[in-house]
């Protein structure tokens, strides 16, 4: 209880903290919603991490199989939180007029979007730490060859997935639609991006599209950064481009009620 | 000075005229009723006062402030209780009151407020486990936690059992006694009669009559008329001085039967 300052001041840090903590509780209590983003990547890692493949040259023993599977489950974690879970929360809030209720307080409904994104980031970070720790414990993980490149690829992939999630939330009329649109976008990106098997198995044209959608671009750049290969600048640019376009369109189209 | 001033507001959605020249003042410390059927323009008018919608023409002032231009300042003096279903299921009553308290620089103590509303024993109960009456008390708590000078209460007792309705009425009188001016939107005649100092009866986007409950009843010129009859008389005849309580062929059930199930101005919403 600090302030009795002027009445026209906007909500302060205290409101932001309280709202982020609140959204954190909402996400944590949605137990079913924790299973996919945290459980599925872990399962895929454990089932596939130990393939019988030669080590990546010059990387201290990490297998080529793990060098593909780990970046894949990292992108999977980010995508499930950003493109499936977050829009589903926001569409539910709109449906039940929770955003509208906030609009008649000094808090702005846009604060909820930010708070959800912050909580989503924390959840994705927790999921990433989980798969990295398990990979290290079970499968002989090597340290990333290009930590700065990895940070860049991780940041751009996360930004692109979360911006896409905001776009899904913006255009979905109902919670059900948000879930359906989120799942379809997610599976399409994952299939085209190499999440269900190497992109080499896809027809050339389809594979080329998948390479520049966030899943494929994220997977390739993370893998390259971890193993010391060159980062493809056009894929990084594609991630940045998706972020910019999705963010701009969702800001324009977002329906508050 | 009037706490709420509404001056000749108009609002249309496409072809539908939702509000067609509404004009009234709410005075300091009164409980002002907004009464009318679904689609009469109540909800749109109240949303304009809350700053959720902008009138096509006309002006609104809340304590001299423009709800759209002075949005932030209005939010700190105006407490709003919306119709049901606006709270997340998996939050507890206590968490929500503390969360909403954080939005205001100055406000009530959450624990005390829960106690005053008689739901302090529900502070750790999830929203989806609260009864209708408890939920209504919680939504009143959220409207009051910023210590507003004006409170807008919308369809407060829809869906409550008679006991919970009466308890809620007592509560509203206590809130007013604490100095809060109240704008009460309702379908229910008995509620309006019991609580309101003055009532604006809305019909087809206009105010058909604005008077005290007794004054409205007196307009029917019928001995022993009820507010129900007065309501029907002012909303069904063009002239208020029309002789007698013309009920105009509309059964009471047509007006009241649908009340409380929907609670929105459905068809005028875009």
């Amino acid at each position: 209880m600090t302030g009795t300052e002027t009445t026209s001041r906007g909500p302060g840090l205290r409101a932001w903290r309280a709202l982020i903590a609140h959204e954190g509780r909402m996400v944590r209590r949605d137990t079913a919603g924790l299973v996919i983003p945290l459980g599925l990547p872990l399962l895929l890692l454990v089932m596939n991490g130990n393939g019988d493949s030669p080590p990546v040259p010059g990387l201290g023993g990490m297998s080529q199989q793990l060098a593909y599977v780990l970046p894949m489950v990292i992108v999977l974690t980010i995508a499930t939180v950003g493109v499936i879970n977050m829009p589903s929360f926001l569409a539910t809030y709109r449906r039940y007029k929770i955003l509208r209720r906030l609009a008649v307080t000094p808090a702005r409904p846009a604060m909820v979007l930010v708070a959800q994104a912050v909580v989503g980031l924390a959840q994705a970070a927790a999921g990433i730490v989980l798969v990295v720790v398990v990979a290290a414990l079970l499968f002989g993980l090597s340290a990333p060859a290009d930590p700065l490149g990895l940070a860049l690829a991780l940041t751009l992939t996360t930004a692109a997935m979360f911006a896409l999630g905001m776009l899904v939330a913006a255009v979905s009329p109902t919670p059900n639609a948000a879930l359906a649109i989120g799942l379809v976008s997610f599976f399409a990106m994952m299939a085209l991006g190499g999440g269900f098997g190497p992109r080499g198995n896809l027809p050339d044209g389809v594979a080329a599209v998948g390479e520049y959608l966030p899943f494929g671009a994220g997977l390739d750049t993370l893998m390259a950064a971890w193993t010391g290969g060159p980062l493809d600048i056009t894929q990084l640019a594609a991630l940045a481009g998706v972020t910019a376009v999705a963010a701009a369109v969702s800001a324009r189209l977002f329906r508050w009620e | 000075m009037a706490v709420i001033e509404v001056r000749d507001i108009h609002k249309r959605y496409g072809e539908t005229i939702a509000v067609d020249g509404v004009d009234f003042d709410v005075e300091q410390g009164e409980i002002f009723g907004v009464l009318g059927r679904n689609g009469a323009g109540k909800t749109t008018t109240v949303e304009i006062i809350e700053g959720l919608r902008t009138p096509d023409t006309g002006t609104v002032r809340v304590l001299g402030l423009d709800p759209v231009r002075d949005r932030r300042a209005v939010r700190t003096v105006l407490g709003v209780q919306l119709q049901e279903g606006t709270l997340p299921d998996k939050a507890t009553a206590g968490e929500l009151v503390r969360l909403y308290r954080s939005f205001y620089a100055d406000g009530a103590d959450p624990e005390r407020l829960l106690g005053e509303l008689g739901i302090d024993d529900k502070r750790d109960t999830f929203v989806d486990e609260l009864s209708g009456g408890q939920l209504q008390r919680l939504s009143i708590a959220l409207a009051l936690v910023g210590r507003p000078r004006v409170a807008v209460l919308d369809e407060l007792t829809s869906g409550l059992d008679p006991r919970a309705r009466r308890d809620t009425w007592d509560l509203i009188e206590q809130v007013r006694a604490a100095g809060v001016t109240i704008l009460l939107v309702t379908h229910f005649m008995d509620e309006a009669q019991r609580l309101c100092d003055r009532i604006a009866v809305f019909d087809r986007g206009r105010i058909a009559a604005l008077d005290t409950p007794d004054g409205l009843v007196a307009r029917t010129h019928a001995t022993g008329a009820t507010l129900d009859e007065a309501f029907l008389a002012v909303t069904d005849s063009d002239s208020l001085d029309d002789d007698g309580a013309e009920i105009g062929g509309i059964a009471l059930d047509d007006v009241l039967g649908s009340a409380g199930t929907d609670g929105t101005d459905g068809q005028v919403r875009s």
Side-chain angles (χ1 to χ4, degrees):
Chain A
M1 298 273 219
T2 48
T4 50
E5 286 112 317
T6 58
T7 50
S8 61
R9 283 270 300 279
L13 265 183
R14 200 164 47 108
W16 279 106
R17 272 204 308 271
L19 198 55
I20 290 168
H22 170 77
E23 292 305 323
R25 286 191 295 269
M26 295 302 97
V27 167
R28 210 170 58 234
R29 286 171 191 167
D30 177 37
T31 321
L34 296 178
V35 173
I36 299 273
L38 299 181
L40 184 65
L42 186 63
L43 183 68
L44 284 173
L45 173 71
V46 171
M47 303 301 286
N48 297 300
N50 202 19
D52 189 15
S53 68
V56 180
L59 207 67
M62 181 177 178
S63 74
Q64 287 178 10
Q65 171 92 356
L66 187 61
Y68 182 82
V69 171
L70 183 65
M72 202 275 281
V73 295
I74 288 176
V75 178
L76 186 64
T77 305
I78 298 168
T80 47
V81 173
V83 182
I84 303 175
N85 275 33
M86 187 178 69
S88 162
F89 267 94
L90 294 176
T92 306
Y93 289 175
R94 176 168 53 220
R95 169 76 177 74
Y96 292 103
K97 301 190 175 175
I98 286 165
L99 299 177
R100 189 180 170 78
R101 179 65 188 83
L102 286 176
V104 290
T105 71
R108 292 177 303 277
M111 290 171 69
V112 177
L113 271 56
V114 176
Q116 262 290 328
V118 169
V119 172
L121 287 175
Q123 193 188 351
I128 291 170
V129 168
L130 181 68
V131 289
V132 168
V133 167
V134 170
L137 291 176
L138 298 185
F139 304 127
L141 180 66
S142 305
D146 177 5
L148 277 183
L150 187 71
L152 179 67
L154 207 51
T155 305
L156 288 176
T157 304
T158 307
M161 292 294 184
F162 277 58
L164 272 185
M166 282 298 172
L167 183 59
V168 172
V171 300
S172 303
T174 64
N176 214 355
L179 191 57
I181 297 173
L183 281 170
V184 168
S185 335
F186 165 75
F187 281 124
M189 278 194 301
M190 184 170 169
L192 300 184
F196 292 116
R199 262 202 316 276
N201 300 348
L202 298 170
D204 287 350
V206 178
V209 173
E211 203 179 327
Y212 294 102
L213 289 177
F215 200 100
L219 172 58
D220 287 1
T221 51
L222 283 175
M223 191 160 66
W226 207 294
T227 57
L231 290 175
D232 184 336
I233 196 82
T234 54
Q235 284 183 311
L236 294 175
L239 289 171
V242 166
T243 307
V245 172
V249 175
S250 55
R252 234 188 123 68
L253 296 186
F254 201 92
R255 298 160 58 248
W256 295 103
E257 52 187 80
Chain B
M1 182 188 96
V3 168
I4 300 175
E5 297 173 17
V6 177
R7 287 287 166 272
D8 196 29
I9 56 170
H10 293 254
K11 180 79 179 177
R12 60 193 301 162
Y13 304 108
E15 292 300 294
T16 314
I17 297 172
V19 177
D20 187 20
V22 163
D23 207 285
F24 63 89
D25 284 346
V26 179
E27 302 297 334
Q28 172 72 43
E30 79 175 328
I31 300 183
F32 186 92
V34 170
L35 190 66
R37 332 164 191 205
N38 291 336
K42 308 189 302 281
T43 299
T44 301
T45 298
V46 168
E47 285 174 345
I48 289 170
I49 293 169
E50 292 164 350
L52 289 173
R53 296 183 192 282
T54 313
D56 298 335
T57 59
T59 57
V60 169
R61 292 289 177 273
V62 177
L63 293 163
L65 301 161
D66 180 328
V68 175
R69 209 186 49 222
D70 310 315
R71 182 186 176 281
R72 281 188 173 179
V74 169
R75 296 287 184 267
T76 62
V77 294
L78 182 75
V80 175
Q81 182 264 336
L82 294 177
Q83 294 163 15
E84 270 180 78
T86 55
L87 299 173
D89 286 347
K90 289 297 170 199
T92 69
E95 286 166 357
L96 284 172
V97 176
R98 286 192 296 274
L99 174 66
Y100 276 63
R101 172 63 187 83
S102 79
F103 300 155
Y104 300 87
D106 205 4
D109 175 56
E111 207 46 42
R112 250 184 78 190
L113 186 60
L114 285 168
E116 283 164 12
L117 290 170
I119 48 171
D120 43 341
D121 57 331
K122 299 293 169 195
R123 84 172 68 73
D124 298 322
T125 304
F126 287 126
V127 163
D128 61 2
E129 291 162 5
L130 294 173
S131 72
Q134 290 159 354
L135 203 53
Q136 224 42 301
R137 280 161 186 270
L138 174 58
S139 73
I140 296 170
L142 298 179
L144 299 180
V145 73
R147 281 198 207 291
R149 293 179 56 194
V150 191
V152 178
L153 308 175
D154 197 352
E155 304 294 349
L156 197 57
T157 63
S158 294
L160 295 190
D161 64 52
R163 171 85 218 163
R165 288 184 76 200
R166 271 164 211 288
D167 289 348
T168 305
W169 292 347
D170 290 343
L171 201 59
I172 294 170
E173 283 175 336
Q174 288 167 30
V175 172
R176 187 254 293 272
V180 180
T181 303
I182 295 174
L183 185 70
L184 182 75
V185 183
T186 185
H187 286 293
F188 298 117
M189 310 293 163
D190 53 348
E191 183 165 298
Q193 184 149 31
R194 155 83 189 264
L195 291 174
C196 297
D197 300 304
R198 289 187 303 148
I199 298 170
V201 178
F202 277 62
D203 187 39
R204 298 183 199 101
R206 295 170 163 274
I207 293 182
L210 199 171
D211 209 331
T212 61
D214 289 345
L216 284 173
V217 169
R219 293 183 188 217
T220 63
H221 301 307
T223 37
T226 65
L227 189 60
D228 292 326
E229 285 156 352
F231 173 76
L232 292 170
V234 296
T235 58
D236 288 326
S237 60
D238 290 327
S239 162
L240 298 181
D241 295 323
D242 205 353
D243 206 12
E246 279 289 325
I247 296 189
I250 294 187
L252 203 56
D253 286 352
D254 289 344
V255 180
L256 299 178
S258 63
T261 53
D262 169 0
T264 65
D265 285 350
Q267 65 273 41
V268 301
R269 285 263 178 82
S270 54

